[in-house]
Amino acid sequence: MGIKELILQKGWAGRTIDRAETIERINPMIQTMTELMHLYMAAAENTANADLGQRIDASLRTLRMDIGKMCEIVFSCGGVAYSGTDLDTADFRLGNALSGAIESKEQELRTALEAQESVEHQMRSRAILLNVDTNQKTRMNAVRGL
């Protein structure tokens, strides 16, 4: 937390990145999250354990909400959010390698979110990124249980 954040609390002052740069930074994260969603859906299909299935479903719910929030950032900047229409769901059915793929993709998202911490996003975008970051950490803890 910087001095500006401490002094201004929830307000903001200064320059933020422009809309085009926001779109360039958010869309790759939406793509990663969409791929992650497909991995979780494949894991939900492959599990016979009811408790594990519930944890995966909970992760999927928050992930879908987070994707929607991230898409709203892109739309509000006048851009077109990544939709995932180029993905083939069969590519995400990895069998025994699924949990490793999920963990790897979650780590990729973690790295992308950490890279955004030093960027001067608009306040609304910062709030959404913070929420997505919190949800991602929760999912990472759940993934370690897979």
Side-chain angles (χ1 to χ4, degrees):
M1 183 176 281
I3 293 174
K4 190 170 24 173
E5 292 163 321
L6 287 172
I7 294 171
L8 297 175
Q9 305 267 325
K10 293 184 180 179
W12 198 250
R15 296 179 51 93
T16 59
I17 62 174
D18 64 5
R19 292 175 172 204
E21 188 175 352
T22 299
I23 294 166
E24 288 175 16
R25 290 178 174 274
I26 299 297
N27 257 340
M29 286 191 286
I30 294 172
Q31 180 175 358
T32 300
M33 294 168 76
T34 303
E35 292 168 355
L36 190 56
M37 179 184 67
H38 285 292
L39 288 169
Y40 275 112
M41 288 188 316
E45 290 173 4
N46 287 343
T47 187
N49 184 332
D51 181 50
L52 182 59
Q54 288 176 345
R55 286 191 293 162
I56 291 172
D57 287 342
S59 293
L60 262 171
R61 270 193 305 278
T62 58
L63 183 58
R64 285 182 178 127
M65 287 188 307
D66 289 346
I67 290 170
K69 291 173 190 172
M70 297 286 275
C71 288
E72 286 177 17
I73 293 174
V74 173
F75 295 146
S76 69
C77 290
V80 177
Y82 178 78
S83 63
T85 55
D86 60 331
L87 300 176
D88 184 8
T89 56
D91 294 341
F92 297 95
R93 307 224 181 334
L94 303 175
N96 293 338
L98 197 54
S99 62
I102 289 173
E103 191 169 355
S104 172
K105 195 58 74 171
E106 284 284 10
Q107 188 56 49
E108 182 180 330
L109 180 59
R110 165 97 329 263
T111 303
L113 287 168
E114 287 173 350
Q116 299 307 309
E117 290 176 1
S118 62
V119 177
E120 298 287 337
H121 284 282
Q122 296 175 0
M123 283 306 295
R124 182 174 179 272
S125 300
R126 291 172 60 87
I128 290 172
L129 286 168
L130 180 63
N131 194 21
V132 169
D133 183 59
T134 302
N135 292 338
Q136 194 277 332
K137 287 176 183 172
T138 303
R139 276 195 317 275
M140 277 296 282
N141 290 334
V143 166
R144 288 189 181 106
L146 291 176

